[in-house]
Amino acid sequence: MSADEEAAAVAELRTTGTPRTWRLTATNGVTVSGYLPPWAYEDPSASGIDPDRLPVAACDVELFRYFDDLAGSLVGPGDGAEEDDYVTPFAAITCHPCAEREAPDRPVGPVLTVQVSDTEETVCADPGELAALIARLKAHTDYLDQHVRPAFTAIYQDWQTHHHTATEPRP
């Protein structure tokens, strides 16, 4: 990706702008608030929360942004899935700004989930993990392109040239 393309992608995210705040307000006036980044799709602010539920409501705050503009499904025709069942690959950034006692390993901050099928997804806790995933994906596609495709092409052409059914005349 060129520097101009990267700059355009970052600008589209709205990573800058006037600082905003999400706020949860209990019926007794107690509030919990935090940074609401410009890239977040929704403001999770709420009021009228039962004071006993305020800690749970804070743990439930999730800031998110989806990247669902990836073209096409990785499932091809004849893979046993109906067209409506195709899962288009997507990526999503989620951020839980408050720690949760019941899930102490859950990151407090943004993570990226990359889903490539209905059963396969990878969670990247930082940009370095995403870079490693990209390198693995590129290695897979390079291998398919440089080794598998030429072999498959030769095998396919050989089959087309030499295979005949019992009812077909031989050339």
Side-chain angles (χ1 to χ4, degrees):
M1 178 179 282
S2 74
D4 289 340
E5 290 171 323
E6 190 169 323
V10 169
E12 181 182 313
L13 278 177
R14 297 180 336 213
T15 56
T16 61
T18 304
R20 303 181 300 165
T21 302
W22 58 265
R23 184 175 317 286
L24 302 177
T25 305
T27 56
N28 64 359
V30 173
T31 65
V32 175
S33 63
Y35 172 60
L36 178 59
W39 52 261
Y41 277 151
E42 294 180 0
D43 182 344
S45 295
S47 59
I49 300 169
D50 182 287
D52 293 336
R53 299 265 317 138
L54 191 57
V56 173
C59 289
D60 288 344
V61 168
E62 180 179 77
L63 309 172
F64 63 91
R65 173 164 180 103
Y66 294 115
F67 300 88
D68 54 3
D69 298 336
L70 299 172
S73 174
L74 294 179
V75 177
D79 286 344
E82 297 297 323
E83 193 162 328
D84 291 344
D85 293 337
Y86 284 3
V87 174
T88 301
F90 81 92
I93 294 175
T94 55
C95 179
H96 294 95
C98 298
E100 184 176 354
R101 190 179 329 188
E102 301 298 318
D105 294 338
R106 182 178 81 175
V108 176
V111 296
L112 175 71
T113 301
V114 178
Q115 182 171 351
V116 294
S117 75
D118 61 344
T119 59
E120 299 291 327
E121 68 180 34
T122 299
V123 176
C124 301
D126 61 51
E129 288 183 7
L130 176 58
L133 171 63
I134 291 167
R136 289 192 308 271
L137 291 170
K138 283 182 180 178
H140 283 268
T141 58
D142 287 349
Y143 182 80
L144 287 170
D145 187 39
Q146 297 166 10
H147 299 282
V148 177
R149 186 175 52 84
F152 180 54
T153 301
I155 290 167
Y156 184 85
Q157 290 171 345
D158 176 68
W159 185 262
Q160 293 296 316
T161 302
H162 297 100
H163 173 73
H164 301 282
T165 63
T167 59
E168 291 177 323
R170 297 228 177 237

